Amino acid sequence: MTKPVRKPTEPLRTRHVFLDTEVYRRAGFNISNTPFTLLAQEIARGRIALHVSDITLAEIHRQLKETILEKAAEAKRLIRDFNRIAQISGRDNVTVNEVDGPTLAEAACAGFTETLIKRFRSHSILALQVPARVVFDRYFAGKPPFDERSSKEFPDAYVIEGLARYCKSNEITMYVVSGDAALRRAAESYDTLIPLQTIEEVLAAATAESGGDLEAIVDEIFAAPGFDHQLIEAIEGDLDFVDFTYYGLLSDGAVIDSKLEEIISVDDYDVAAFDETKVGLILHANTILDVRVRYLDEAELRDKDDDIIPTELETSSRTHARLKLYVSINLRSLRFMETELLTHNVIVE
């Protein structure tokens, strides 16, 4: 395996960080996953202060509720389907506790807010108090986030203006983290806001000033006997948690299984955590996956009791996937302590 190159990272320019709604949504609103856990550790150390706007929190609550209600409705449909199957087989109905979607949604939103306040010690910014004229002036001038013809990103515009005003009044600068390019362009138009794309960039900056020769340490880790085998085990151990989406030509194709065939390379990495005993790395691995796809062969039909039923077949597909993986490594033994596959979605064509 060729030696990967560490992505260039500058030290933290400010300890103040704002995460867009998109960042929370990308994590499935799971603010207990590895990147958020590491962020909480940096907050506890005092290196990072997290900020959240009232608009962002309202957006999160709406999207979280919609997601839970959709999943609850899907669960009910699955129960009905299983019970139909049970009736056909002559067995009793499947006993599954029914999910109370609205109650669960309210509890999830309350728990999310409590976690932000208690664990992440978030500071609230009141973006709703921004004067409407300021936002509409940007809209009519076609300034980000309204710089594209179809843009109507009013919530984002209020949030960015609210962050800029907060920074100016407190004489600080702030990272604005979002996968939304329009929001990052809007943040870039203010001197006090520093746009970033991922939470991992914040974590890498937080460790850029850590003591020790990180380059030499990481070189030793990659050269250690058994590193490749540990990396393979780490990826294989989490592949079952990846959601595969099939976009190929096969009719009603769906991925039913996947295996790691090859790690082509580890192109680059971020240092996400570092202390005297361990280092946390975010690796970017180019891989080939052997994916099993089930599909309907509409050319082969069989007639049973006057019902036309397509034949269900399976095939395999070699799929290139760029996977992001977090690994925590013991500096004495150079063994992996904790791993988590951060890539949750892979497209198969």
Side-chain angles (χ1 to χ4, degrees), residues 32-57:
S32 296
N33 68 7
T34 297
F36 275 91
T37 297
L38 294 173
L39 184 68
Q41 292 174 1
E42 295 297 336
I43 291 171
R45 295 187 184 109
R47 293 176 58 82
I48 289 177
L50 182 65
H51 300 265
V52 62
S53 80
D54 48 2
I55 291 177
T56 305
L57 196 56

Side-chain angles (χ1 to χ4, degrees), residues 177-197:
V177 184
S178 176
D180 185 341
L183 187 140
R184 292 200 307 275
R185 289 196 301 272
E188 196 171 20
S189 65
Y190 292 90
D191 293 337
T192 54
L193 302 180
I194 308 166
L196 293 177
Q197 189 168 355

